[in-house]
Amino acid sequence: MKRIDKLVRSFVDEAMGEGFELFLSPETEALRDLSQINDSVVFFQAKGGGLFKMRNDYTTSVVEFYNKNPSDTLRVWYSGFVYRYDQTGQIQNTFQLGLEIVPYNSPQDSFVVLKVMLASILRSLTDQLLVEVGDSRVIERCIQHVPKKFRKKLLELVDRKDVSELEFFASLNNLDLKDVLKLVEASFTKRSVNQLKEFELDPSIEREIVELVEFLSKYPGVTVEIDFSLARTVEEYDGPTFIFFDLKDPALIVAGGRYRVNENTLGVGGTIFVEERTWSS
Protein backbone atom coordinates (compact mmCIF):
# COMPACT_ATOMS: atom_id res chain seq x y z
CA MET A 1 0.00 0.00 0.00
CA LYS A 2 1.34 3.43 -0.93
CA ARG A 3 2.08 5.79 1.94
CA ILE A 4 -0.52 8.27 0.70
CA ASP A 5 -3.21 5.55 0.73
CA LYS A 6 -2.30 4.57 4.28
CA LEU A 7 -2.17 8.21 5.40
CA VAL A 8 -5.55 9.17 3.93
CA ARG A 9 -7.32 6.09 5.28
CA SER A 10 -5.83 6.55 8.73
CA PHE A 11 -6.57 10.29 8.74
CA VAL A 12 -10.20 9.88 7.68
CA ASP A 13 -10.78 7.12 10.25
CA GLU A 14 -9.28 9.23 13.03
CA ALA A 15 -11.14 12.39 12.00
CA MET A 16 -14.53 10.71 11.70
CA GLY A 17 -13.93 8.92 15.00
CA GLU A 18 -13.62 12.35 16.63
CA GLY A 19 -16.82 13.62 15.05
CA PHE A 20 -15.38 15.59 12.12
CA GLU A 21 -17.47 15.86 8.94
CA LEU A 22 -16.28 16.26 5.35
CA PHE A 23 -15.99 19.85 4.09
CA LEU A 24 -16.22 20.32 0.31
CA SER A 25 -14.79 23.37 -1.43
CA PRO A 26 -14.56 24.09 -5.20
CA GLU A 27 -11.05 24.36 -6.64
CA THR A 28 -11.99 27.67 -8.27
CA GLU A 29 -13.88 30.66 -6.93
CA ALA A 30 -14.82 34.04 -8.34
CA LEU A 31 -12.56 36.94 -7.38
CA ARG A 32 -14.59 39.55 -5.56
CA ASP A 33 -11.99 42.27 -6.09
CA LEU A 34 -8.38 42.66 -7.19
CA SER A 35 -7.20 42.94 -3.58
CA GLN A 36 -7.47 39.14 -3.41
CA ILE A 37 -4.62 38.84 -5.89
CA ASN A 38 -1.08 38.62 -4.56
CA ASP A 39 2.20 37.12 -5.72
CA SER A 40 1.16 33.56 -4.82
CA VAL A 41 -2.47 33.53 -6.08
CA VAL A 42 -3.09 31.54 -9.27
CA PHE A 43 -5.93 33.18 -11.22
CA PHE A 44 -7.40 33.15 -14.72
CA GLN A 45 -10.02 34.90 -16.82
CA ALA A 46 -13.07 32.91 -17.94
CA LYS A 47 -14.76 33.22 -21.34
CA GLY A 48 -17.32 35.65 -19.99
CA GLY A 49 -14.58 37.92 -18.72
CA GLY A 50 -14.89 37.07 -15.03
CA LEU A 51 -11.79 36.50 -12.93
CA PHE A 52 -11.40 33.30 -10.94
CA LYS A 53 -8.71 32.07 -8.58
CA MET A 54 -7.54 28.57 -7.87
CA ARG A 55 -7.89 27.41 -4.28
CA ASN A 56 -4.70 28.29 -2.43
CA ASP A 57 -5.74 27.54 1.14
CA TYR A 58 -8.46 25.40 2.70
CA THR A 59 -8.62 27.26 6.01
CA THR A 60 -9.61 30.44 4.15
CA SER A 61 -12.54 28.58 2.56
CA VAL A 62 -13.67 27.27 5.96
CA VAL A 63 -13.44 30.74 7.51
CA GLU A 64 -15.40 32.33 4.66
CA PHE A 65 -18.08 29.64 4.95
CA TYR A 66 -18.40 30.20 8.70
CA ASN A 67 -18.62 33.98 8.34
CA LYS A 68 -21.49 33.51 5.89
CA ASN A 69 -23.17 30.99 8.20
CA PRO A 70 -22.20 32.15 11.71
CA SER A 71 -24.86 30.06 13.43
CA ASP A 72 -23.12 26.84 12.37
CA THR A 73 -20.57 25.06 14.52
CA LEU A 74 -17.92 23.61 12.22
CA ARG A 75 -15.96 20.49 13.03
CA VAL A 76 -14.73 19.54 9.58
CA TRP A 77 -12.01 17.69 7.72
CA TYR A 78 -10.95 18.27 4.12
CA SER A 79 -8.67 16.89 1.42
CA GLY A 80 -7.58 18.09 -1.99
CA PHE A 81 -5.06 20.12 -3.93
CA VAL A 82 -4.12 23.76 -3.43
CA TYR A 83 -2.30 25.84 -6.03
CA ARG A 84 0.25 28.61 -5.58
CA TYR A 85 3.03 30.31 -7.50
CA ASP A 86 6.50 29.67 -6.17
CA GLN A 87 9.33 32.21 -6.13
CA THR A 88 10.24 31.37 -9.73
CA GLY A 89 6.70 31.96 -10.99
CA GLN A 90 5.89 28.28 -11.51
CA ILE A 91 2.56 26.83 -10.35
CA GLN A 92 3.05 24.44 -7.45
CA ASN A 93 0.31 22.00 -6.44
CA THR A 94 0.27 20.41 -3.01
CA PHE A 95 -2.16 17.87 -1.64
CA GLN A 96 -3.57 18.81 1.76
CA LEU A 97 -5.37 16.96 4.53
CA GLY A 98 -6.68 19.07 7.33
CA LEU A 99 -9.06 19.74 10.20
CA GLU A 100 -10.80 22.86 11.48
CA ILE A 101 -12.89 23.55 14.57
CA VAL A 102 -14.88 26.81 14.62
CA PRO A 103 -15.55 28.33 17.04
CA TYR A 104 -12.66 27.50 19.37
CA ASN A 105 -13.91 26.84 22.89
CA SER A 106 -10.98 25.49 24.92
CA PRO A 107 -7.47 23.98 24.66
CA GLN A 108 -9.22 20.62 24.30
CA ASP A 109 -10.10 21.64 20.73
CA SER A 110 -6.38 22.01 19.96
CA PHE A 111 -5.68 18.63 21.55
CA VAL A 112 -8.30 16.92 19.38
CA VAL A 113 -6.79 18.41 16.21
CA LEU A 114 -3.30 17.34 17.29
CA LYS A 115 -4.48 13.86 18.25
CA VAL A 116 -5.85 13.18 14.77
CA MET A 117 -2.72 14.59 13.10
CA LEU A 118 -0.30 12.66 15.28
CA ALA A 119 -2.14 9.34 15.17
CA SER A 120 -2.47 9.30 11.37
CA ILE A 121 1.08 10.49 10.66
CA LEU A 122 2.83 8.23 13.16
CA ARG A 123 0.91 5.27 11.76
CA SER A 124 1.60 5.93 8.08
CA LEU A 125 4.44 8.36 7.31
CA THR A 126 7.07 8.30 10.06
CA ASP A 127 7.63 7.26 13.66
CA GLN A 128 10.02 10.12 14.45
CA LEU A 129 8.62 13.64 14.61
CA LEU A 130 9.91 16.98 15.81
CA VAL A 131 7.06 19.27 16.88
CA GLU A 132 7.94 22.94 17.30
CA VAL A 133 5.51 24.93 19.43
CA GLY A 134 5.19 28.71 19.36
CA ASP A 135 2.62 31.42 19.99
CA SER A 136 1.81 34.16 17.50
CA ARG A 137 1.10 36.65 20.29
CA VAL A 138 4.74 36.57 21.39
CA ILE A 139 6.20 37.66 18.05
CA GLU A 140 3.28 40.02 17.43
CA ARG A 141 4.20 41.84 20.63
CA CYS A 142 7.74 42.26 19.30
CA ILE A 143 6.70 43.73 15.95
CA GLN A 144 3.65 45.81 16.92
CA HIS A 145 5.67 49.02 16.57
CA VAL A 146 6.95 48.10 13.08
CA PRO A 147 5.11 49.88 10.22
CA LYS A 148 2.93 47.48 8.23
CA LYS A 149 4.83 48.13 5.00
CA PHE A 150 7.88 46.38 6.52
CA ARG A 151 6.15 43.45 8.20
CA LYS A 152 5.91 40.97 5.32
CA LYS A 153 9.61 41.22 4.54
CA LEU A 154 10.48 41.18 8.23
CA LEU A 155 8.55 37.97 8.85
CA GLU A 156 10.23 36.33 5.85
CA LEU A 157 13.62 37.15 7.36
CA VAL A 158 12.53 35.85 10.76
CA ASP A 159 11.47 32.57 9.16
CA ARG A 160 14.94 32.24 7.64
CA LYS A 161 16.49 32.92 11.07
CA ASP A 162 19.31 34.95 9.51
CA VAL A 163 20.47 37.25 12.31
CA SER A 164 22.93 39.23 10.18
CA GLU A 165 20.29 39.87 7.50
CA LEU A 166 17.82 41.01 10.17
CA GLU A 167 20.40 43.39 11.61
CA PHE A 168 21.03 44.85 8.15
CA PHE A 169 17.27 45.19 7.53
CA ALA A 170 16.86 47.01 10.84
CA SER A 171 19.72 49.37 10.09
CA LEU A 172 18.59 50.02 6.50
CA ASN A 173 15.05 50.96 7.57
CA ASN A 174 15.90 52.57 10.92
CA LEU A 175 13.90 49.95 12.86
CA ASP A 176 14.32 48.82 16.45
CA LEU A 177 14.31 45.02 16.17
CA LYS A 178 16.19 44.08 19.33
CA ASP A 179 13.26 42.04 20.69
CA VAL A 180 12.83 40.23 17.37
CA LEU A 181 16.54 39.42 17.29
CA LYS A 182 16.32 38.03 20.83
CA LEU A 183 13.53 35.68 19.76
CA VAL A 184 15.50 34.45 16.75
CA GLU A 185 18.64 33.93 18.79
CA ALA A 186 16.62 32.10 21.46
CA SER A 187 15.26 29.76 18.79
CA PHE A 188 18.75 28.22 18.67
CA THR A 189 19.54 28.11 22.40
CA LYS A 190 16.31 28.18 24.47
CA ARG A 191 14.04 25.48 23.10
CA SER A 192 13.03 23.71 26.30
CA VAL A 193 9.80 24.26 28.22
CA ASN A 194 12.01 24.56 31.30
CA GLN A 195 13.38 27.83 29.87
CA LEU A 196 10.02 29.56 29.42
CA LYS A 197 10.62 31.85 32.42
CA GLU A 198 13.38 33.56 30.46
CA PHE A 199 10.83 34.89 27.93
CA GLU A 200 8.79 36.80 30.55
CA LEU A 201 5.52 35.61 29.02
CA ASP A 202 2.06 36.57 30.06
CA PRO A 203 1.01 33.85 32.57
CA SER A 204 -1.94 32.75 30.43
CA ILE A 205 0.32 32.26 27.39
CA GLU A 206 2.88 30.33 29.43
CA ARG A 207 0.16 28.10 30.84
CA GLU A 208 -1.19 27.29 27.35
CA ILE A 209 2.29 26.45 26.08
CA VAL A 210 3.03 24.17 29.04
CA GLU A 211 -0.26 22.31 28.56
CA LEU A 212 0.42 21.87 24.86
CA VAL A 213 3.94 20.55 25.44
CA GLU A 214 2.72 18.14 28.12
CA PHE A 215 0.06 16.79 25.75
CA LEU A 216 2.49 16.31 22.85
CA SER A 217 5.18 14.75 25.02
CA LYS A 218 2.95 11.75 25.79
CA TYR A 219 3.42 10.41 22.25
CA PRO A 220 6.34 7.98 21.68
CA GLY A 221 8.64 9.12 18.89
CA VAL A 222 7.67 12.79 19.27
CA THR A 223 10.27 15.37 20.30
CA VAL A 224 8.81 18.71 21.40
CA GLU A 225 10.70 22.02 21.33
CA ILE A 226 9.80 25.69 21.79
CA ASP A 227 10.32 28.26 19.03
CA PHE A 228 8.65 31.64 19.44
CA SER A 229 10.23 32.92 16.23
CA LEU A 230 7.79 30.89 14.12
CA ALA A 231 6.43 33.61 11.85
CA ARG A 232 4.45 31.82 9.14
CA THR A 233 1.18 33.67 8.46
CA VAL A 234 1.49 35.26 11.88
CA GLU A 235 -1.20 37.83 11.06
CA GLU A 236 -3.82 35.08 10.76
CA TYR A 237 -2.80 33.17 13.89
CA ASP A 238 -3.92 34.25 17.34
CA GLY A 239 -2.42 32.01 20.00
CA PRO A 240 -0.48 28.72 20.12
CA THR A 241 0.96 27.42 16.85
CA PHE A 242 2.71 24.20 15.88
CA ILE A 243 4.66 22.67 13.04
CA PHE A 244 5.73 19.05 12.51
CA PHE A 245 9.01 17.96 10.95
CA ASP A 246 9.63 14.41 9.75
CA LEU A 247 13.01 13.50 11.27
CA LYS A 248 13.49 10.36 9.14
CA ASP A 249 12.90 11.97 5.76
CA PRO A 250 13.54 15.64 6.62
CA ALA A 251 10.55 17.74 5.62
CA LEU A 252 7.95 20.08 7.04
CA ILE A 253 4.72 18.08 6.95
CA VAL A 254 2.22 19.88 9.22
CA ALA A 255 1.41 23.43 10.28
CA GLY A 256 -1.45 24.73 12.36
CA GLY A 257 -2.68 26.50 15.44
CA ARG A 258 -5.33 28.86 16.72
CA TYR A 259 -6.43 31.69 14.44
CA ARG A 260 -8.88 34.56 14.28
CA VAL A 261 -12.05 33.96 12.27
CA ASN A 262 -13.59 37.38 12.92
CA GLU A 263 -13.60 40.01 15.66
CA ASN A 264 -15.51 37.77 18.05
CA THR A 265 -14.52 34.25 17.04
CA LEU A 266 -11.44 32.06 17.10
CA GLY A 267 -10.84 28.76 15.33
CA VAL A 268 -8.19 26.07 15.48
CA GLY A 269 -6.91 23.72 12.82
CA GLY A 270 -4.01 21.91 11.28
CA THR A 271 -2.95 20.92 7.78
CA ILE A 272 -0.84 18.01 6.53
CA PHE A 273 1.13 18.95 3.41
CA VAL A 274 1.68 16.03 1.05
CA GLU A 275 4.27 16.65 -1.66
CA GLU A 276 4.52 14.71 -4.91
CA ARG A 277 7.33 12.52 -3.60
CA THR A 278 4.88 11.17 -1.01
CA TRP A 279 1.78 10.59 -3.13
CA SER A 280 3.84 8.90 -5.88
CA SER A 281 5.85 6.58 -3.60
Side-chain angles (χ1 to χ4, degrees):
M1 181 185 293
K2 287 185 177 181
R3 288 197 297 168
I4 183 63
D5 293 333
K6 196 171 183 180
L7 172 64
V8 172
R9 292 185 187 189
S10 177
F11 177 85
V12 173
D13 287 346
E14 291 289 338
M16 294 181 67
E18 293 292 340
F20 288 84
E21 299 179 330
L22 174 62
F23 179 83
L24 295 177
S25 171
E27 287 194 337
T28 62
E29 62 180 55
L31 282 166
R32 294 187 298 272
D33 55 69
L34 297 181
S35 68
Q36 291 183 274
I37 299 176
N38 58 45
D39 292 342
S40 65
V41 172
V42 179
F43 68 96
F44 63 92
Q45 185 173 20
K47 286 184 178 179
L51 291 178
F52 293 81
K53 73 169 183 174
M54 301 293 289
R55 181 176 56 225
N56 64 337
D57 182 77
Y58 263 102
T59 301
T60 300
S61 298
V62 173
V63 167
E64 290 179 350
F65 179 86
Y66 178 83
N67 283 330
K68 291 176 183 176
N69 306 274
S71 62
D72 289 355
T73 296
L74 299 182
R75 193 181 182 95
V76 297
W77 67 271
Y78 53 80
S79 69
F81 285 90
V82 298
Y83 305 87
R84 299 171 183 165
Y85 286 112
D86 63 18
Q87 293 182 342
T88 66
Q90 299 299 309
I91 297 175
Q92 296 295 317
N93 55 332
T94 305
F95 186 77
Q96 292 189 352
L97 287 166
L99 305 164
E100 309 291 340
I101 297 177
V102 183
Y104 171 92
N105 293 304
S106 74
Q108 188 62 35
D109 290 336
S110 297
F111 296 160
V112 171
V113 168
L114 285 164
K115 178 184 176 183
V116 174
M117 295 283 173
L118 287 166
S120 54
I121 288 172
L122 291 172
R123 189 177 299 149
S124 58
L125 291 185
T126 182
D127 58 3
Q128 293 184 26
L129 279 175
L130 168 63
V131 180
E132 293 186 345
V133 174
D135 193 298
S136 64
R137 293 168 293 183
V138 177
I139 193 167
E140 186 64 35
R141 182 189 65 191
C142 295
I143 67 171
Q144 60 185 351
H145 66 286
V146 176
K148 287 190 175 181
K149 65 180 180 180
F150 296 122
R151 288 194 181 186
K152 181 179 179 181
K153 180 62 176 178
L154 172 58
L155 294 176
E156 289 175 358
L157 295 177
V158 172
D159 267 343
R160 295 210 294 267
K161 301 186 188 300
D162 191 324
V163 174
S164 61
E165 202 169 355
L166 276 167
E167 290 175 336
F168 177 74
F169 183 75
S171 174
L172 182 66
N173 296 291
N174 194 30
L175 299 173
D176 178 7
L177 298 181
K178 63 177 183 297
D179 290 337
V180 174
L181 287 164
K182 285 180 182 178
L183 277 189
V184 174
E185 291 167 353
S187 71
F188 296 104
T189 60
K190 299 175 183 176
R191 298 178 64 85
S192 168
V193 70
N194 297 324
Q195 297 171 298
L196 283 179
K197 296 295 183 186
E198 300 184 39
F199 290 96
E200 300 180 350
L201 302 174
D202 179 281
S204 64
I205 294 177
E206 182 174 341
R207 184 168 57 252
E208 285 190 89
I209 294 297
V210 170
E211 290 176 351
L212 199 56
V213 171
E214 288 177 348
F215 174 82
L216 291 163
S217 299
K218 296 175 183 177
Y219 285 81
V222 174
T223 300
V224 188
E225 297 182 352
I226 305 296
D227 186 353
F228 289 119
S229 72
L230 297 176
R232 295 177 180 85
T233 60
V234 70
E235 292 180 351
E236 287 79 22
Y237 284 123
D238 190 325
T241 60
F242 53 83
I243 58 176
F244 293 8
F245 285 99
D246 182 351
L247 292 177
K248 276 192 169 180
D249 187 11
L252 169 66
I253 54 176
V254 169
R258 195 171 72 201
Y259 55 85
R260 185 152 296 282
V261 176
N262 55 46
E263 290 184 1
N264 303 310
T265 308
L266 296 173
V268 64
T271 302
I272 301 173
F273 309 106
V274 185
E275 298 180 349
E276 185 174 358
R277 62 175 180 162
T278 302
W279 75 65
S280 60
S281 62

